[in-house]
């Protein structure tokens, strides 16, 4: 501490723990933040000083990340690296370079440590321009059929409203049927949840009507098909974002239905249709 003006030495273990306590746990996806920061500690070493991580070491880290997938071992709960030949540049940027850059910036600008200033633009990998994919032809109907009635309702509501998957997972308290409004949770801002309200059309209300009586709290639920892990066959449980991702991967992506169509493309579809109809 004496060498650092009375402050804790900026080891990876310390700066990541402090970042989590001050910022990371309040992110919209805190588990993702924790996972990426945990991997950085594993890679560089818990006792490694942030001031010793040079551009050369970051470039080597990027090269390494391009060859692996990171998974959590179910028995030990530790992160393990699995060799992989196809890792997208965006994945490396999002889960390795950007989290490290946030650590550097906070250590420099908020905690006032004399950390180096790497040329991050040179370290970030080039990413292709975002493509806008829209449901065309009979793709919407085919996807809804593949997802089944429960997950299909959620998919149809997302296309009808343009909400994100996380925002579309409503509770009945968010629905105002008298005034035909729904309050939707948006991405967190500065660690605080934000909300927006949208009017409900007849089509959107009809989808919500299909869910009436299924669950006292949650709008979109699924019927349990097999009793296991505390779930009872025939009961209805709320659809979760992670559960929807898994269902989508199995029923849509792996089945080859609407090639290249992602869940987020429901938002692109709604937006494109709105512009065509209104011109705005």
């Amino acid at each position: 501490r004496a060498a650092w003006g009375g402050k804790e030495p900026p080891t990876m273990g310390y700066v990541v723990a402090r970042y989590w306590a001050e910022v990371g746990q309040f992110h919209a996806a805190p588990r993702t933040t924790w996972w990426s920061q945990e991997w950085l500690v594993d890679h560089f070493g818990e006792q490694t000083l942030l001031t010793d991580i040079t551009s050369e070491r970051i470039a080597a880290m990027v090269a390494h990340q391009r060859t692996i997938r990171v998974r959590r071992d179910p028995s030990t709960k530790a992160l393990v690296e699995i060799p992989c030949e196809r890792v997208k540049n965006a994945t490396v940027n999002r889960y390795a370079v950007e989290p490290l850059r946030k650590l550097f910036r906070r250590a420099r600008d908020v905690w006032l440590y004399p950390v180096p200033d790497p040329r991050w633009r040179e370290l970030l990998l080039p990413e292709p321009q975002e493509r806008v994919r829209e449901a065309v032809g009979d793709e919407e109907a085919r996807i809804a059929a593949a997802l089944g009635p429960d997950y299909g309702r959620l998919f149809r509501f997302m296309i009808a409203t343009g909400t994100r998957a996380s925002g579309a997972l409503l509770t009945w308290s968010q629905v105002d049927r008298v005034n035909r409004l729904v309050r939707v949770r948006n991405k967190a801002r500065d660690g605080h949840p934000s909300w927006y309200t949208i009017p409900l059309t007849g089509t959107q209300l009809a989808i919500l009507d299909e869910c009436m009586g299924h669950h006292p709290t949650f709008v979109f639920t699924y019927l349990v098909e097999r009793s296991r892990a505390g779930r009872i066959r025939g009961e209805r449980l709320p659809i979760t974002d992670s559960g929807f991702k898994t269902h989508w991967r199995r029923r849509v992506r792996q089945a080859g239905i609407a090639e290249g169509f992602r869940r987020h493309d429901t938002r692109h579809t709604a937006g494109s249709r709105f512009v065509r109809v209104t011109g705005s």
Side-chain angles (χ1 to χ4, degrees):
R1 290 187 180 183
W4 295 96
K7 296 187 293 185
E8 286 283 346
T11 63
M12 283 296 295
Y14 171 74
V15 297
V16 163
R18 186 172 179 180
Y19 183 86
W20 172 258
E22 296 179 4
V23 181
Q25 63 177 316
F26 304 111
H27 284 174
R31 290 177 63 184
T32 302
T33 298
W34 177 263
W35 175 90
S36 60
Q37 301 286 2
E38 181 182 356
W39 182 83
L40 288 172
V41 172
D42 287 350
H43 178 78
F44 288 109
E46 185 176 352
Q47 296 303 316
T48 299
L49 294 171
L50 199 64
T51 51
D52 290 340
I53 300 179
T54 62
S55 294
E56 184 179 9
R57 294 185 69 176
I58 298 173
M61 179 269 289
V62 170
H64 178 63
Q65 257 276 349
R66 300 180 82 171
T67 65
I68 61 167
R69 292 282 188 188
V70 181
R71 296 290 183 266
R72 191 174 296 282
D73 186 278
S75 57
T76 65
K77 306 303 180 184
L79 295 180
V80 294
E81 298 179 355
I82 303 171
C84 181
E85 295 181 356
R86 294 184 300 173
V87 180
K88 293 181 179 179
N89 288 359
T91 300
V92 177
N93 289 341
R94 190 172 297 116
Y95 299 114
V97 185
E98 288 291 356
L100 185 62
R101 175 159 69 168
K102 290 177 180 178
L103 284 179
F104 269 75
R105 284 183 171 177
R106 191 160 188 87
R108 181 194 65 199
D109 299 337
V110 180
W111 305 329
L112 304 180
Y113 282 102
V115 297
D117 187 19
R119 300 186 64 178
W120 295 104
R121 184 172 297 180
E122 302 298 325
L123 295 165
L124 286 165
L125 299 176
E127 298 183 29
Q129 184 178 2
E130 182 183 12
R131 59 95 174 110
V132 177
R133 175 74 157 83
E134 180 183 354
V136 295
D138 65 345
E139 286 184 335
E140 181 179 347
R142 290 169 56 215
I143 293 172
L147 290 172
D150 294 330
Y151 287 89
R153 288 190 197 96
L154 175 57
F155 166 74
R156 289 189 287 118
F157 186 77
M158 288 168 60
I159 272 203
T161 58
T163 55
R164 297 178 178 87
S166 57
L169 295 173
L170 305 170
T171 61
W172 287 114
S173 62
Q174 294 172 244
V175 181
D176 181 355
R177 298 186 63 83
V178 175
N179 296 303
R180 297 170 66 100
L181 299 172
V182 63
R183 192 165 177 256
V184 180
R185 187 184 183 100
N186 200 3
K187 286 185 175 180
R189 297 177 180 175
D190 300 323
H192 300 285
S194 59
W195 302 81
Y196 62 91
T197 301
I198 60 174
L200 290 169
T201 66
T203 299
Q204 297 158 6
L205 277 170
I207 297 172
L208 297 180
D209 286 342
E210 296 177 25
C211 304
M212 294 290 290
H214 286 175
H215 196 280
T217 304
F218 299 96
V219 175
F220 295 103
T221 61
Y222 71 97
L223 196 65
V224 176
E225 297 179 352
R226 291 183 295 172
S227 297
R228 62 176 180 175
R231 292 171 291 182
I232 303 172
R233 185 176 183 272
E235 71 173 330
R236 280 201 169 269
L237 296 177
I239 293 175
T240 63
D241 190 35
S242 60
F244 188 24
K245 284 181 182 177
T246 300
H247 197 77
W248 182 277
R249 184 180 70 249
R250 293 172 178 171
R251 297 293 187 91
V252 178
R253 196 172 71 196
Q254 293 179 352
I257 298 173
E259 189 69 30
F261 193 92
R262 306 168 302 181
R263 292 190 312 160
H264 192 73
D265 291 324
T266 58
R267 194 165 169 82
H268 294 158
T269 300
S272 298
R273 291 174 178 177
F274 187 85
V275 169
R276 276 197 293 271
V277 171
T278 67
S280 172

